[in-house]
Amino acid sequence: MQTMDTIRNGVETEQMYGTLDAIKAQPELGIFQFRARNHWIEGAHNRSTIDHFYGAGQEDTSREQPFVIDAGEPAILLGTDTGANPAEYLLHALAACLTTTLVYVAAARKVRLTEVESTLEGDMDVRGALGLSDDVRNGFTQIRATFTVKGDAPPEKLREIIERAQQRSAVFDMVSHGVPVTVDLVDA
Amino acid sequence: MQTMDTIRNGVETEQMYGTLDAIKAQPELGIFQFRARNHWIEGAHNRSTIDHFYGAGQEDTSREQPFVIDAGEPAILLGTDTGANPAEYLLHALAACLTTTLVYVAAARKVRLTEVESTLEGDMDVRGALGLSDDVRNGFTQIRATFTVKGDAPPEKLREIIERAQQRSAVFDMVSHGVPVTVDLVDA
């Protein structure tokens, strides 16, 4: 029977242990595929639609409606602020993944959190992306994430949890180490 | 005088050339810093706020209101679908950046686009992020981006433009090659 006791940091820990056991027993349930479809609207304005994904052995169609996410650029970068810019979305992805991983790790370690806040900064010399210099990279040269974490555990334990979150976060891994990306033009 | 002629693909090309000339003349104007603040709400639900940034020699406060972006996880990953998940936001960031870069490159090369669509897929074995296996990575093993691009140029030219977009996209660079990330705990 589900009781309040099994919910920690908003995470159903019984369900979490059940999911972990199921994937341990049948490793192929761990295979996931996430997707985004994007279409250009005008200038720096484009929109992604995110809905179904594959996971746990089947196509997951449980989301009742898609997430619709607009991107843009500020005026100085020739847009009209129709959304955060792509580099800012990457910072959001990283902050969100570190935070969720941290919350799940804390739930597994029986730590009740009261606050998790973070600020991320990314430094970029836009001469790279604008094609004005081959001496600077296109993307951020450095990202700094600064966390405030509070809960019913001593600072050392909270520090351990944030370290474990870095070791397990999917987006931290991707942004730190890179991912092979193929880009194909299918229709022109 | 601004005329309709200077707007191509929704990009003010006169402004674009002006920006490029200004940064060429004064390279320090190319220094930017983007930021995201994130706070945890409950379980897999957290929210980023994105507003001011530094660029072109000053703090840019021109955005009238911040962008507020919610993240979540689907039920199978212990969330309640309060937003796309962090790995999906990374796909959105990549799709958006490749698209905007492509649109700007086309504008600079005097190509009028009529359609840019893309589908991105990322493959992940969640045993990594769930801490069930050290033999698989936490993030995507592979990302595939598939584009449809149409405009008033032959397919070879559109292909050149998408190749140039890959060479200049900030997020493509970051996701392909990785970025040094530091994570600090300032208050616990």
Side-chain angles (χ1 to χ4, degrees):
Chain A
M1 209 182 80
Q2 199 81 58
T3 69
M4 285 301 289
D5 257 335
T6 69
I7 302 175
R8 203 176 296 125
N9 304 328
V11 180
E12 286 278 6
T13 55
E14 289 304 314
Q15 191 200 339
M16 179 168 64
Y17 298 132
T19 299
L20 293 173
D21 286 343
I23 297 177
K24 260 187 238 176
Q26 233 182 304
E28 66 273 23
L29 295 180
I31 302 298
F32 276 65
Q33 183 186 84
F34 295 107
R35 305 165 192 140
R37 295 194 310 280
N38 184 280
H39 75 273
W40 173 54
I41 297 170
E42 191 185 30
H45 186 197
N46 61 71
R47 179 174 291 161
S48 290
T49 305
I50 290 171
D51 49 5
H52 301 164
F53 60 93
Y54 180 89
Q58 62 187 343
E59 185 70 12
D60 191 312
T61 60
S62 64
R63 285 170 173 167
E64 282 170 23
Q65 46 190 20
F67 300 112
V68 176
I69 309 166
D70 281 35
E73 290 288 352
I76 185 78
L77 294 171
L78 312 171
T80 56
D81 270 329
T82 50
N85 80 13
E88 291 170 324
Y89 274 111
L90 182 126
L91 294 179
H92 162 63
L94 179 58
C97 196
L98 284 168
T99 299
T100 297
T101 308
L102 192 161
V103 167
Y104 284 14
V105 167
R109 296 185 179 195
K110 306 201 187 333
V111 172
R112 288 185 193 272
L113 299 171
T114 51
E115 184 186 337
V116 183
E117 302 251 352
S118 59
T119 301
L120 277 76
E121 299 174 338
D123 300 322
M124 187 184 296
D125 186 335
V126 298
R127 288 182 298 155
L130 295 177
L132 294 176
S133 171
D134 289 325
D135 299 331
V136 296
R137 70 178 295 177
N138 302 326
F140 291 136
T141 50
Q142 168 78 44
I143 297 172
R144 287 174 300 282
T146 310
F147 275 80
T148 299
V149 181
K150 295 186 180 174
D152 66 355
E156 310 80 68
K157 178 103 179 177
L158 297 174
R159 194 170 297 280
E160 250 180 64
I161 288 171
I162 201 171
E163 278 166 16
R164 180 70 177 168
Q166 274 182 81
Q167 287 161 13
R168 288 302 175 187
S169 159
V171 176
F172 180 82
D173 169 30
M174 293 191 272
V175 172
S176 295
H177 301 117
V179 179
V181 182
T182 60
V183 180
D184 288 310
L185 183 61
V186 286
D187 191 12
Chain B
M1 210 183 78
Q2 199 82 58
T3 70
M4 284 301 289
D5 257 333
T6 69
I7 302 175
R8 202 176 298 125
N9 304 328
V11 181
E12 287 277 6
T13 54
E14 288 304 314
Q15 190 200 338
M16 179 169 63
Y17 298 131
T19 299
L20 293 172
D21 286 344
I23 297 176
K24 260 187 238 176
Q26 233 182 306
E28 66 273 23
L29 296 180
I31 302 298
F32 276 65
Q33 182 186 85
F34 295 108
R35 304 164 193 141
R37 295 195 310 280
N38 184 282
H39 74 273
W40 173 54
I41 297 171
E42 190 184 31
H45 187 198
N46 61 71
R47 180 174 290 161
S48 290
T49 304
I50 290 172
D51 49 5
H52 301 165
F53 61 92
Y54 179 89
Q58 62 186 343
E59 185 71 11
D60 190 313
T61 60
S62 64
R63 286 170 171 167
E64 282 170 23
Q65 46 190 19
F67 300 112
V68 177
I69 309 167
D70 281 36
E73 290 289 352
I76 186 77
L77 294 171
L78 312 171
T80 56
D81 271 329
T82 50
N85 80 12
E88 291 170 323
Y89 273 111
L90 181 127
L91 294 179
H92 162 63
L94 179 58
C97 196
L98 283 168
T99 298
T100 297
T101 310
L102 192 161
V103 167
Y104 284 13
V105 168
R109 296 186 179 194
K110 304 198 187 338
V111 172
R112 286 184 195 274
L113 299 170
T114 52
E115 185 186 337
V116 183
E117 302 252 354
S118 59
T119 301
L120 276 76
E121 299 174 339
D123 301 322
M124 187 185 295
D125 186 335
V126 298
R127 287 182 298 155
L130 294 178
L132 294 176
S133 171
D134 288 325
D135 298 332
V136 296
R137 70 179 295 178
N138 302 327
F140 292 135
T141 50
Q142 168 78 45
I143 297 172
R144 286 173 301 281
T146 309
F147 275 79
T148 299
V149 181
K150 295 186 179 175
D152 67 355
E156 309 81 67
K157 180 103 178 179
L158 295 175
R159 195 170 296 279
E160 251 181 63
I161 288 171
I162 201 170
E163 277 166 16
R164 181 69 177 170
Q166 275 181 79
Q167 287 162 14
R168 288 302 174 188
S169 159
V171 177
F172 180 82
D173 169 32
M174 292 190 273
V175 173
S176 296
H177 301 118
V179 179
V181 182
T182 60
V183 180
D184 288 311
L185 183 61
V186 286
D187 190 13

PDB file of all heavy atoms in Angstrom, chain A residues 162-183:
ATOM      1  N   ILE A 162      25.465  16.216  -4.306  1.00  0.00           N
ATOM      2  CA  ILE A 162      25.673  17.014  -5.525  1.00  0.00           C
ATOM      3  C   ILE A 162      26.809  16.415  -6.362  1.00  0.00           C
ATOM      4  O   ILE A 162      26.765  16.438  -7.598  1.00  0.00           O
ATOM      5  CB  ILE A 162      25.876  18.516  -5.206  1.00  0.00           C
ATOM      6  CG1 ILE A 162      25.577  19.339  -6.457  1.00  0.00           C
ATOM      7  CG2 ILE A 162      27.250  18.834  -4.704  1.00  0.00           C
ATOM      8  CD1 ILE A 162      25.525  20.822  -6.209  1.00  0.00           C
ATOM      9  N   GLU A 163      27.776  15.808  -5.706  1.00  0.00           N
ATOM     10  CA  GLU A 163      28.849  15.151  -6.472  1.00  0.00           C
ATOM     11  C   GLU A 163      28.321  13.923  -7.203  1.00  0.00           C
ATOM     12  O   GLU A 163      28.642  13.680  -8.365  1.00  0.00           O
ATOM     13  CB  GLU A 163      30.027  14.798  -5.558  1.00  0.00           C
ATOM     14  CG  GLU A 163      30.922  16.007  -5.358  1.00  0.00           C
ATOM     15  CD  GLU A 163      31.925  15.877  -4.220  1.00  0.00           C
ATOM     16  OE1 GLU A 163      32.155  14.746  -3.758  1.00  0.00           O
ATOM     17  OE2 GLU A 163      32.456  16.920  -3.787  1.00  0.00           O
ATOM     18  N   ARG A 164      27.470  13.173  -6.508  1.00  0.00           N
ATOM     19  CA  ARG A 164      26.861  12.005  -7.140  1.00  0.00           C
ATOM     20  C   ARG A 164      25.968  12.436  -8.314  1.00  0.00           C
ATOM     21  O   ARG A 164      25.921  11.771  -9.356  1.00  0.00           O
ATOM     22  CB  ARG A 164      26.048  11.238  -6.100  1.00  0.00           C
ATOM     23  CG  ARG A 164      25.370   9.997  -6.620  1.00  0.00           C
ATOM     24  CD  ARG A 164      26.372   8.913  -6.942  1.00  0.00           C
ATOM     25  NE  ARG A 164      25.694   7.682  -7.370  1.00  0.00           N
ATOM     26  CZ  ARG A 164      26.330   6.658  -7.923  1.00  0.00           C
ATOM     27  NH1 ARG A 164      27.635   6.704  -8.136  1.00  0.00           N
ATOM     28  NH2 ARG A 164      25.661   5.578  -8.279  1.00  0.00           N
ATOM     29  N   ALA A 165      25.272  13.560  -8.153  1.00  0.00           N
ATOM     30  CA  ALA A 165      24.411  14.060  -9.236  1.00  0.00           C
ATOM     31  C   ALA A 165      25.239  14.362 -10.486  1.00  0.00           C
ATOM     32  O   ALA A 165      24.848  14.038 -11.604  1.00  0.00           O
ATOM     33  CB  ALA A 165      23.642  15.299  -8.784  1.00  0.00           C
ATOM     34  N   GLN A 166      26.404  14.979 -10.301  1.00  0.00           N
ATOM     35  CA  GLN A 166      27.299  15.232 -11.441  1.00  0.00           C
ATOM     36  C   GLN A 166      27.735  13.940 -12.101  1.00  0.00           C
ATOM     37  O   GLN A 166      27.885  13.865 -13.307  1.00  0.00           O
ATOM     38  CB  GLN A 166      28.573  15.927 -10.959  1.00  0.00           C
ATOM     39  CG  GLN A 166      28.474  17.415 -10.861  1.00  0.00           C
ATOM     40  CD  GLN A 166      29.818  17.971 -10.411  1.00  0.00           C
ATOM     41  OE1 GLN A 166      30.732  18.132 -11.212  1.00  0.00           O
ATOM     42  NE2 GLN A 166      29.949  18.248  -9.142  1.00  0.00           N
ATOM     43  N   GLN A 167      27.983  12.916 -11.280  1.00  0.00           N
ATOM     44  CA  GLN A 167      28.449  11.644 -11.846  1.00  0.00           C
ATOM     45  C   GLN A 167      27.361  10.929 -12.626  1.00  0.00           C
ATOM     46  O   GLN A 167      27.660  10.060 -13.437  1.00  0.00           O
ATOM     47  CB  GLN A 167      28.936  10.707 -10.722  1.00  0.00           C
ATOM     48  CG  GLN A 167      30.263  11.114 -10.118  1.00  0.00           C
ATOM     49  CD  GLN A 167      30.471  10.477  -8.743  1.00  0.00           C
ATOM     50  OE1 GLN A 167      29.754   9.558  -8.359  1.00  0.00           O
ATOM     51  NE2 GLN A 167      31.441  10.980  -8.004  1.00  0.00           N
ATOM     52  N   ARG A 168      26.088  11.274 -12.366  1.00  0.00           N
ATOM     53  CA  ARG A 168      24.995  10.516 -12.991  1.00  0.00           C
ATOM     54  C   ARG A 168      24.110  11.325 -13.931  1.00  0.00           C
ATOM     55  O   ARG A 168      23.275  10.756 -14.629  1.00  0.00           O
ATOM     56  CB  ARG A 168      24.121   9.878 -11.900  1.00  0.00           C
ATOM     57  CG  ARG A 168      24.822   8.722 -11.203  1.00  0.00           C
ATOM     58  CD  ARG A 168      25.210   7.649 -12.213  1.00  0.00           C
ATOM     59  NE  ARG A 168      25.998   6.562 -11.620  1.00  0.00           N
ATOM     60  CZ  ARG A 168      26.561   5.592 -12.345  1.00  0.00           C
ATOM     61  NH1 ARG A 168      26.441   5.571 -13.667  1.00  0.00           N
ATOM     62  NH2 ARG A 168      27.262   4.659 -11.756  1.00  0.00           N
ATOM     63  N   SER A 169      24.260  12.634 -13.960  1.00  0.00           N
ATOM     64  CA  SER A 169      23.377  13.462 -14.789  1.00  0.00           C
ATOM     65  C   SER A 169      23.638  13.225 -16.273  1.00  0.00           C
ATOM     66  O   SER A 169      24.773  13.338 -16.756  1.00  0.00           O
ATOM     67  CB  SER A 169      23.608  14.937 -14.456  1.00  0.00           C
ATOM     68  OG  SER A 169      23.171  15.767 -15.513  1.00  0.00           O
ATOM     69  N   ALA A 170      22.572  12.931 -17.022  1.00  0.00           N
ATOM     70  CA  ALA A 170      22.694  12.683 -18.466  1.00  0.00           C
ATOM     71  C   ALA A 170      23.178  13.933 -19.207  1.00  0.00           C
ATOM     72  O   ALA A 170      24.066  13.861 -20.062  1.00  0.00           O
ATOM     73  CB  ALA A 170      21.345  12.227 -19.032  1.00  0.00           C
ATOM     74  N   VAL A 171      22.605  15.092 -18.889  1.00  0.00           N
ATOM     75  CA  VAL A 171      22.986  16.302 -19.640  1.00  0.00           C
ATOM     76  C   VAL A 171      24.368  16.792 -19.209  1.00  0.00           C
ATOM     77  O   VAL A 171      25.147  17.283 -20.035  1.00  0.00           O
ATOM     78  CB  VAL A 171      21.912  17.408 -19.501  1.00  0.00           C
ATOM     79  CG1 VAL A 171      22.364  18.686 -20.203  1.00  0.00           C
ATOM     80  CG2 VAL A 171      20.579  16.930 -20.094  1.00  0.00           C
ATOM     81  N   PHE A 172      24.709  16.628 -17.931  1.00  0.00           N
ATOM     82  CA  PHE A 172      26.072  16.993 -17.509  1.00  0.00           C
ATOM     83  C   PHE A 172      27.089  16.165 -18.293  1.00  0.00           C
ATOM     84  O   PHE A 172      28.093  16.689 -18.781  1.00  0.00           O
ATOM     85  CB  PHE A 172      26.260  16.767 -16.006  1.00  0.00           C
ATOM     86  CG  PHE A 172      27.639  17.128 -15.518  1.00  0.00           C
ATOM     87  CD1 PHE A 172      27.970  18.438 -15.236  1.00  0.00           C
ATOM     88  CD2 PHE A 172      28.626  16.154 -15.374  1.00  0.00           C
ATOM     89  CE1 PHE A 172      29.256  18.785 -14.808  1.00  0.00           C
ATOM     90  CE2 PHE A 172      29.908  16.488 -14.952  1.00  0.00           C
ATOM     91  CZ  PHE A 172      30.217  17.808 -14.667  1.00  0.00           C
ATOM     92  N   ASP A 173      26.826  14.869 -18.441  1.00  0.00           N
ATOM     93  CA  ASP A 173      27.703  14.001 -19.226  1.00  0.00           C
ATOM     94  C   ASP A 173      27.815  14.514 -20.669  1.00  0.00           C
ATOM     95  O   ASP A 173      28.916  14.679 -21.207  1.00  0.00           O
ATOM     96  CB  ASP A 173      27.145  12.569 -19.197  1.00  0.00           C
ATOM     97  CG  ASP A 173      27.830  11.642 -20.190  1.00  0.00           C
ATOM     98  OD1 ASP A 173      29.020  11.844 -20.501  1.00  0.00           O
ATOM     99  OD2 ASP A 173      27.161  10.692 -20.668  1.00  0.00           O
ATOM    100  N   MET A 174      26.667  14.799 -21.284  1.00  0.00           N
ATOM    101  CA  MET A 174      26.687  15.221 -22.694  1.00  0.00           C
ATOM    102  C   MET A 174      27.395  16.549 -22.882  1.00  0.00           C
ATOM    103  O   MET A 174      28.200  16.711 -23.797  1.00  0.00           O
ATOM    104  CB  MET A 174      25.257  15.306 -23.232  1.00  0.00           C
ATOM    105  CG  MET A 174      24.591  13.951 -23.329  1.00  0.00           C
ATOM    106  SD  MET A 174      23.033  14.002 -24.249  1.00  0.00           S
ATOM    107  CE  MET A 174      21.867  14.385 -22.948  1.00  0.00           C
ATOM    108  N   VAL A 175      27.086  17.519 -22.016  1.00  0.00           N
ATOM    109  CA  VAL A 175      27.680  18.851 -22.181  1.00  0.00           C
ATOM    110  C   VAL A 175      29.170  18.815 -21.820  1.00  0.00           C
ATOM    111  O   VAL A 175      29.985  19.496 -22.437  1.00  0.00           O
ATOM    112  CB  VAL A 175      26.911  19.909 -21.353  1.00  0.00           C
ATOM    113  CG1 VAL A 175      27.632  21.256 -21.364  1.00  0.00           C
ATOM    114  CG2 VAL A 175      25.495  20.068 -21.901  1.00  0.00           C
ATOM    115  N   SER A 176      29.556  17.997 -20.859  1.00  0.00           N
ATOM    116  CA  SER A 176      30.976  17.923 -20.491  1.00  0.00           C
ATOM    117  C   SER A 176      31.803  17.171 -21.523  1.00  0.00           C
ATOM    118  O   SER A 176      32.935  17.549 -21.795  1.00  0.00           O
ATOM    119  CB  SER A 176      31.151  17.175 -19.165  1.00  0.00           C
ATOM    120  OG  SER A 176      30.576  17.884 -18.129  1.00  0.00           O
ATOM    121  N   HIS A 177      31.245  16.088 -22.037  1.00  0.00           N
ATOM    122  CA  HIS A 177      32.053  15.176 -22.864  1.00  0.00           C
ATOM    123  C   HIS A 177      31.703  15.162 -24.345  1.00  0.00           C
ATOM    124  O   HIS A 177      32.449  14.595 -25.143  1.00  0.00           O
ATOM    125  CB  HIS A 177      31.946  13.754 -22.312  1.00  0.00           C
ATOM    126  CG  HIS A 177      32.412  13.638 -20.899  1.00  0.00           C
ATOM    127  ND1 HIS A 177      31.580  13.258 -19.870  1.00  0.00           N
ATOM    128  CD2 HIS A 177      33.609  13.890 -20.333  1.00  0.00           C
ATOM    129  CE1 HIS A 177      32.261  13.267 -18.728  1.00  0.00           C
ATOM    130  NE2 HIS A 177      33.496  13.660 -18.976  1.00  0.00           N
ATOM    131  N   GLY A 178      30.556  15.724 -24.701  1.00  0.00           N
ATOM    132  CA  GLY A 178      30.167  15.705 -26.103  1.00  0.00           C
ATOM    133  C   GLY A 178      29.485  14.407 -26.497  1.00  0.00           C
ATOM    134  O   GLY A 178      29.596  13.394 -25.805  1.00  0.00           O
ATOM    135  N   VAL A 179      28.768  14.476 -27.603  1.00  0.00           N
ATOM    136  CA  VAL A 179      27.997  13.342 -28.148  1.00  0.00           C
ATOM    137  C   VAL A 179      28.215  13.335 -29.660  1.00  0.00           C
ATOM    138  O   VAL A 179      28.198  14.405 -30.271  1.00  0.00           O
ATOM    139  CB  VAL A 179      26.472  13.545 -27.896  1.00  0.00           C
ATOM    140  CG1 VAL A 179      25.668  12.384 -28.472  1.00  0.00           C
ATOM    141  CG2 VAL A 179      26.175  13.749 -26.432  1.00  0.00           C
ATOM    142  N   PRO A 180      28.390  12.174 -30.286  1.00  0.00           N
ATOM    143  CA  PRO A 180      28.444  12.161 -31.756  1.00  0.00           C
ATOM    144  C   PRO A 180      27.088  12.608 -32.338  1.00  0.00           C
ATOM    145  O   PRO A 180      26.049  12.083 -31.937  1.00  0.00           O
ATOM    146  CB  PRO A 180      28.707  10.686 -32.094  1.00  0.00           C
ATOM    147  CG  PRO A 180      29.183  10.059 -30.816  1.00  0.00           C
ATOM    148  CD  PRO A 180      28.560  10.838 -29.703  1.00  0.00           C
ATOM    149  N   VAL A 181      27.140  13.592 -33.226  1.00  0.00           N
ATOM    150  CA  VAL A 181      25.914  14.120 -33.845  1.00  0.00           C
ATOM    151  C   VAL A 181      26.038  13.987 -35.354  1.00  0.00           C
ATOM    152  O   VAL A 181      27.046  14.412 -35.929  1.00  0.00           O
ATOM    153  CB  VAL A 181      25.705  15.622 -33.520  1.00  0.00           C
ATOM    154  CG1 VAL A 181      24.392  16.128 -34.126  1.00  0.00           C
ATOM    155  CG2 VAL A 181      25.728  15.875 -32.015  1.00  0.00           C
ATOM    156  N   THR A 182      25.048  13.407 -35.999  1.00  0.00           N
ATOM    157  CA  THR A 182      25.010  13.409 -37.462  1.00  0.00           C
ATOM    158  C   THR A 182      23.907  14.359 -37.914  1.00  0.00           C
ATOM    159  O   THR A 182      22.839  14.435 -37.285  1.00  0.00           O
ATOM    160  CB  THR A 182      24.711  12.011 -38.038  1.00  0.00           C
ATOM    161  OG1 THR A 182      23.439  11.570 -37.555  1.00  0.00           O
ATOM    162  CG2 THR A 182      25.775  10.995 -37.628  1.00  0.00           C
ATOM    163  N   VAL A 183      24.189  15.111 -38.968  1.00  0.00           N
ATOM    164  CA  VAL A 183      23.197  16.029 -39.535  1.00  0.00           C
ATOM    165  C   VAL A 183      23.003  15.645 -40.995  1.00  0.00           C
ATOM    166  O   VAL A 183      23.963  15.653 -41.770  1.00  0.00           O
ATOM    167  CB  VAL A 183      23.659  17.500 -39.432  1.00  0.00           C
ATOM    168  CG1 VAL A 183      22.604  18.428 -40.040  1.00  0.00           C
ATOM    169  CG2 VAL A 183      23.933  17.880 -37.978  1.00  0.00           C
TER     170      VAL A 183
END
